């Protein structure tokens, strides 16, 4: 028995979805992940500074996202010996390699979304 046209079309589309793109957006498509990576592009940042740099993010959410990025191999947690004991985060080589892609996304946002570099 032949499949309905809509079902065949859906299967064809699903077969063309790239697994790599799916995995990238599963990680980077989560709320707050982009701004966190963007802040870390410039330099390693202490947790409190990172939280201040991203208005609206809670400590818990920041901690969760940093853990996810760490598990994905994009961010490293470094303990600065005290006193006081402070924790800093930096991008790994893999995380920093996203710089050119983020630059292109910013250019796209400027051209198509009316966003200016540095604006909120």
């Amino acid at each position: 028995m032949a499949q309905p046209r809509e079902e065949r079309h859906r299967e064809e589309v699903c077969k063309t979805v790239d697994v790599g793109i799916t995995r990238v957006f599963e990680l980077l498509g989560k709320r707050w992940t982009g701004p966190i990576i963007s802040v870390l592009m410039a330099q390693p940042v202490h947790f409190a500074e990172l939280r201040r740099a991203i208005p609206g993010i809670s400590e818990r959410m920041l901690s969760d996202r940093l853990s996810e990025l760490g598990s994905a191999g994009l961010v490293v947690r470094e303990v600065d010996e005290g006193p006081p004991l402070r924790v800093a985060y930096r991008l790994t080589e893999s995380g920093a390699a996203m710089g050119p892609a983020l630059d292109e996304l910013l250019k796209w946002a400027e051209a198509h979304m009316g966003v200016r570099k540095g604006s909120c």
Side-chain angles (χ1 to χ4, degrees):
M1 182 169 164
Q3 291 178 313
R5 182 173 181 237
E6 183 179 312
E7 190 173 323
R8 281 194 317 269
H9 176 71
R10 198 172 327 134
E11 286 179 6
E12 290 171 10
V13 170
C14 288
K15 288 178 185 176
T16 64
V17 174
D18 184 76
V19 174
I21 288 292
T22 300
R23 291 182 63 195
V24 165
F25 279 99
E26 283 174 351
L27 177 64
L28 301 183
K30 291 184 177 179
R31 187 170 186 198
W32 305 113
T33 301
I36 291 167
I37 292 171
S38 178
V39 171
L40 293 175
M41 276 293 164
Q43 63 190 10
V45 180
H46 291 102
F47 186 90
E49 295 167 335
L50 189 53
R51 184 159 182 251
R52 280 193 298 272
I54 305 171
I57 193 169
S58 69
E59 283 188 23
R60 169 96 189 245
M61 182 59 68
L62 178 55
S63 180
D64 289 350
R65 289 294 177 263
L66 288 167
S67 292
E68 290 172 0
L69 292 168
S71 294
L74 302 177
V75 171
V76 173
R77 179 181 189 265
E78 298 175 331
V79 178
D80 297 338
E81 295 302 323
L85 189 69
R86 295 178 66 183
V87 177
Y89 294 86
R90 70 170 174 78
L91 293 174
T92 62
E93 189 176 323
S94 292
M98 287 189 290
L102 291 178
D103 290 342
E104 289 301 315
L105 286 172
L106 180 57
K107 287 178 191 174
W108 179 85
E110 291 170 347
H112 300 284
M113 298 180 74
V115 175
R116 290 192 182 109
K117 189 173 184 172
S119 66
C120 295

